[in-house]
Amino acid sequence: MSDRAVLHVKGRVLVGPEDVRDELWVVGGRVTYRRPAGTGPDTLTVQGWALPGLVDAHCHVGLDAHGPVPPEEAEKQALTERDAGALLLRDAGSPSDTRWIDDREDLPKIIRAGRHIARTRRYIRNYAHEIEPDDLVASVAREARRGDGWVKLVGDWIDRDAGDLTACWPRGAVEAAIAEAHRLGARVTAHCFAEDSLRDLVEAGIDCVEHATGLTEDTVPLFAERGVAIVPTLVNIATFPQLADGGEKKFPRWSAHMRRLHARRYDTVRAAYDAGVPVYAGTDAGGSLAHGLIADEVTELTKAGIPAVEALSAAVWSARAWLGRPGLVEGAPADLVVYGEDPRGDVRVLGAPEAVVVNGRVVG
């Protein structure tokens, strides 16, 4: 498809969950609902159920289980996400410089959180800036300037002396760091598996918590009151039993804790949703988890009891609004995915895109 070609999308265009239109056009890589005058033999037509490009709100391009990867591997990761229909990625921490992806018209758009910020020897090797609390404010300021409006903290991790998950940061350090990020115009999110760190982080003003498996009946109302979002990454939480088995001999308390968090994962997410906590879809792809799993994550949200349309919105309309990126509105970049059936009726349809369009070009 040439730069001057016109794309015609016919069928049912899901501008919103209830805003359904019969067609849209793409001219110069942008969405329009006005039939262009210049249609002709170069016009390409795709037909089906069209959605804005899916959002993976917790993804790591440029990272694998061992740390940063070379650009050619990062490209493969981005292409895998694209081919799965995930065209907007919130990269929740990466040690790699992936800014070159912004110059590629055929790859997903990325919102970066800079590099993870972790306590010394309290996270996966080669992933994070590992620091002590006195350096937290300065580190957050640096990553706020490097990122695209987000900063990522590691809120808890295994403490080898305690033999279990414990909070990584004292309350005062977190309060000062989040205030500095907000001063610089960045939002803050944190990796949290366990219960202990959540209240301090939320009362300190955090904007989002990743995983959030440690939510309880005491902290769910606090999240709802403060409007703190969660990204449950249920396809990643599914690996907890395997992780627990691997750590059983050395850290039995940690292993038992991980199994408990896994066992109540669906109840935790449903309780948060029922209380009005904003829930968004993210996979945690790029560490030890494969890319291209956003359809599986949306299905997992429905297994947790979130209604299908709301689970779909968590990866489409509400996710884009939360991240400040447009959907299929007049003049927006034409990033869309076309399916053979209505995904509002069965979210598993997301696993089989029939066409993927990035910046107005059919790429898959």
Side-chain angles (χ1 to χ4, degrees), residues 56-57 88 105 147 158 198 267 274 288 324 359:
D56 187 335
L88 179 60
E105 292 287 316
I158 189 169
L198 295 180
D267 291 339
D274 286 345
S288 59
N359 292 311

Side-chain angles (χ1 to χ4, degrees), residues 59-65 67 69-83 89 91 94 96 98 101 107-108 285-287 289 291-292:
C59 188
H60 303 281
V61 174
L63 180 70
D64 69 8
V69 300
E72 56 269 22
E73 183 60 30
E75 179 187 35
K76 290 178 183 177
Q77 295 173 347
L79 287 169
T80 299
E81 294 292 344
R82 183 199 74 182
D83 293 345
L89 312 176
D91 193 326
S94 176
S96 295
T98 60
I101 289 177
L107 294 179
L289 208 64
H291 283 268

